[in-house]
Amino acid sequence: MNKKLFLASLLLTAATGAFAQNMTAKQQYAADSKRATQRYNDDKKLCADAGSSSARMQCLRDAKTEYNTALAVAKQNMREAVAAPANVRNEPVCPDCGKVVAVSVEDKEGEGGALGVIAGGVAGALLGNQVGNGTGRDLATLAGAAGGALAGHKIEQKVKTTKVWNVTVAFDNGNKQSYSFDHDPGLLSGDAVRSSGNSVVRR
């Protein structure tokens, strides 16, 4: 095969490839196939000038082999370009990014302190002291104090009850984590967020 023609075809391939960066996978395949066909046709014309029939046949076999190889490479390149996800090619990975998958609000009971116990105990003792005489009154007073202390503790817990917002986030790296807020964070299921310290913020 003529070395000058072979080098020229390689230069043509390199030059046209520089313009193919913005093509789709199918457009690139069509351009590569067209170049391979043109090169094959040029090679067949060159083979016609061979000195003998055996040389001509060998030249045509070599040209056909190169043509088939070029088409196989073009098809492989198209398959790889189609299979590559767009976000892998164009978007940077964000390991701290994710989406809200659940938001719930619940009541959190406060902790009862000494004030509720003392106040409840005193009130219960006063009420118990009004029942019976002698030892019965003493027992009623003690029972009233104990019951009042327990009731006072529970009442104080209820009074100090607060709301808690629980937000569950599924991160792009596959991890899932829940965050608690003592106020409404303004997030809804589906919102895009990113981690920020021990919490998450909208992005």
Side-chain angles (χ1 to χ4, degrees):
M1 185 178 291
N2 190 309
K3 290 184 178 180
K4 291 182 179 180
L5 180 59
F6 179 70
L7 290 174
S9 65
L10 288 180
L11 291 174
L12 177 63
T13 300
T16 52
F19 295 101
Q21 294 179 357
N22 295 323
M23 291 183 179
T24 65
K26 289 185 178 181
Q27 289 173 335
Q28 180 65 53
Y29 174 71
D32 291 342
S33 299
K34 184 177 181 180
R35 283 197 301 274
T37 301
Q38 181 61 48
R39 177 177 166 183
Y40 181 45
N41 291 335
D42 291 341
D43 287 347
K44 286 192 293 183
K45 291 178 183 178
L46 178 66
C47 291
D49 296 333
S52 64
S53 61
S54 59
R56 189 161 48 251
M57 291 301 296
Q58 184 60 49
C59 179
L60 289 173
R61 281 195 291 270
D62 291 343
K64 183 65 173 178
T65 299
E66 285 192 31
Y67 174 68
N68 291 337
T69 300
L71 286 184
V73 170
K75 287 180 180 178
Q76 181 63 28
N77 289 340
M78 181 180 68
R79 281 195 293 267
E80 290 176 359
V82 170
N87 61 342
V88 172
R89 295 195 303 269
N90 302 321
E91 297 179 7
V93 176
C94 177
D96 297 328
C97 297
K99 283 189 177 182
V100 176
V101 294
V103 178
S104 63
V105 184
E106 63 182 28
D107 291 330
K108 180 182 179 183
E109 276 194 353
E111 295 182 1
L115 181 61
V117 173
I118 294 171
V122 170
L126 289 174
L127 290 174
N129 193 46
Q130 305 297 318
V131 178
N133 292 310
T135 304
R137 177 177 289 183
D138 292 340
L139 291 175
T141 299
L142 290 174
L150 180 60
H153 181 71
K154 290 295 184 182
I155 290 171
E156 187 177 9
Q157 284 183 324
K158 291 294 183 183
V159 169
K160 291 183 177 180
T161 294
T162 56
K163 289 190 178 297
V164 176
W165 283 259
N166 297 313
V167 178
T168 303
V169 176
F171 287 96
D172 294 349
N173 60 12
N175 293 335
K176 185 177 286 188
Q177 190 167 345
S178 293
Y179 299 87
S180 295
F181 297 84
D182 58 4
H183 61 280
D184 186 354
L187 296 172
L188 299 173
S189 183
D191 284 350
V193 296
R194 61 178 176 81
S195 62
S196 177
N198 294 323
S199 186
V200 287
V201 294
R202 193 189 301 274
R203 62 181 172 95

